[in-house]
Amino acid sequence: MTAAAAPQLAPLSLPSRFWADLSTRDFAALQHSGQADQVVAVLPVAAVEQHGPHLPLSVDATLLQGVIDAALPQLPADLPVLFLPPQNVGLSPEHIRFPGTLTLSPATVIALWTEIGECVARAGVKKLLLFNGHGGQVSVMDIVARELRTRCGLIVYSASWFSLPLPDAVAGQFSAQEHRFGIHAGEIETSMMLHLAPATVHMEHAQNFRSTSQDRSERYAILGNGKSAKLGWQMQDYHPAGAVGDAAAATADKGRAVVDAAAQQLVALLQELQALPLSTLADGPQLR
C-alpha cells in the first residue's frame, strides 16, 4: 500500500492585502484552519532623510510605496500576502548633518523591526519579507533577519527595491557609472520621483553631483574598486550637497520604467517566497 497523500488546503483568500485591515477574528480563523503558515508578511522599511537640494525628505518612503502600489494590482488573487504598516523612519545617521533628517539609533531600529517580526510569528505566520527603500540600512536587515530566525523560527528574507533585477531595456537607460555611483538622489531616484511625485521635485536645483567615490575608483585599485573595502561615511563625504549622480538627466519616463519593472520583480519575489517550503529551516544540527 502507498502512503496517503497529504490533504491539499484550499486556496487562501484574504479580506485585504493589508495586515491592519484584518480583524483579530480573521487571524484567529487563519490559525484555526492551519492556513496562517501560507501567508507571506511584508514589512516595508524606509527613511525620512535629506536628498540633496532638489528632492524632498520623503524620497525613500515615496519610492518604496510607489513600487508596492504598482505591484498590488499584479498580485495573483490566490497569493496570500499581507503588507504590514510601513516603518518610514529608519537608520539614517549618515545624513544627520543635513537639517530635517530623521533617524533612530541602530539599537532602536533592530529592536523595533525584531519586535514587529515577533508579533508576526505570534500570529502563526511563518514567512516575512523585509522590503527596503534605504541603502543605509541593508546591514541592519541582515541582523534582524537572523535574530528572527533564531528567536522565532521565521523564514525571513530581506530585499531592497533597488536590488531587484531590472530587465536590460530598463537598466540600460542609465549608464554603468550612474548605477554604481549615483546611489543617492541621482538620475534613477530623481526620475522615479518625477514619475511618482513631480510636484515635490525642483529640477532647477538638479545637477550632475559627482561622487568622491568615483575619484577614488580612478586612483586606488583596492580602496576604490567598490568590493574589497568599505568606507565608514557620512553623506557630505561623497558630495557636500548631499546628493550623488546625474540628477539633471532624470526624466519621468525613465522613472516610470523603473517603478514598473521593480513592481514586476517584487511580485515574482513574493511568489517564490510563498512557494518556498517551510522545511527550508532545519530544526537543529546533526551532531555525531
Side-chain angles (χ1 to χ4, degrees):
M1 295 180 63
T2 58
Q8 296 294 313
L9 293 173
L12 178 55
S13 178
L14 297 171
S16 172
R17 292 292 187 191
F18 301 100
W19 185 285
D21 285 350
L22 274 65
S23 71
T24 191
R25 291 199 307 158
D26 293 325
F27 281 104
L30 287 172
Q31 291 177 332
H32 181 72
S33 67
Q35 292 181 303
D37 61 9
Q38 296 183 47
V39 174
V40 177
V42 181
L43 179 61
V45 294
V48 177
E49 61 184 35
Q50 74 82 29
H51 275 75
H54 62 297
L55 294 177
L57 303 176
S58 64
V59 168
D60 290 341
T62 298
L63 301 190
L64 188 68
Q65 191 62 51
V67 172
I68 291 171
D69 289 344
L72 284 169
Q74 302 180 50
L75 291 173
D78 60 352
L79 184 66
V81 174
L82 287 176
F83 288 86
L84 291 148
Q87 303 301 299
N88 285 338
V89 177
L91 182 66
S92 302
E94 68 273 23
H95 300 280
I96 201 67
R97 304 289 176 86
F98 292 85
T101 294
L102 303 179
T103 188
L104 303 173
S105 70
T108 298
V109 171
I110 291 169
L112 176 62
W113 297 353
T114 301
E115 290 181 24
I116 293 173
E118 289 174 331
C119 294
V120 169
R122 281 196 294 272
V125 175
K126 301 295 186 182
K127 297 175 182 176
L128 173 65
L129 174 66
L130 302 173
F131 191 48
N132 174 51
H134 170 41
Q137 53 202 22
V138 169
S139 58
V140 178
M141 290 196 297
D142 292 339
I143 296 171
V144 172
R146 287 194 296 270
E147 281 292 295
L148 288 171
R149 189 271 174 265
T150 301
R151 297 185 190 186
C152 307
L154 273 178
I155 294 178
V156 185
Y157 272 83
S158 60
S160 303
W161 70 259
F162 47 83
S163 69
L164 297 173
L166 298 178
D168 291 343
V170 176
Q173 297 186 51
F174 307 93
S175 69
Q177 177 175 290
E178 191 67 21
H179 280 292
R180 178 175 173 188
F181 299 108
I183 62 170
H184 190 74
E187 184 180 2
I188 296 174
E189 288 192 332
T190 303
S191 293
M192 294 171 75
M193 288 297 290
L194 284 171
H195 166 54
L196 293 170
T200 68
V201 180
H202 297 277
M203 288 300 290
E204 69 274 16
H205 298 305
Q207 59 179 274
N208 185 358
F209 303 97
R210 181 181 170 90
S211 173
T212 61
S213 183
Q214 188 172 343
D215 299 331
R216 285 186 291 279
S217 74
E218 297 169 356
R219 296 180 59 191
Y220 302 104
I222 299 176
L223 286 179
N225 67 21
K227 300 176 182 178
S228 301
K230 189 171 183 180
L231 175 69
W233 55 280
Q234 289 230 305
M235 193 62 219
Q236 67 272 16
D237 300 331
Y238 287 149
H239 196 287
V244 287
D246 191 3
T251 70
D253 286 343
K254 294 177 185 177
R256 180 181 300 105
V258 174
V259 170
D260 290 345
Q264 292 172 9
Q265 292 300 311
L266 174 58
V267 172
L269 172 62
L270 290 170
Q271 289 175 305
E272 291 184 8
L273 184 52
Q274 202 277 329
L276 192 72
L278 296 178
S279 60
T280 297
L281 302 185
D283 288 337
Q286 293 182 356
L287 303 176
R288 295 181 181 178

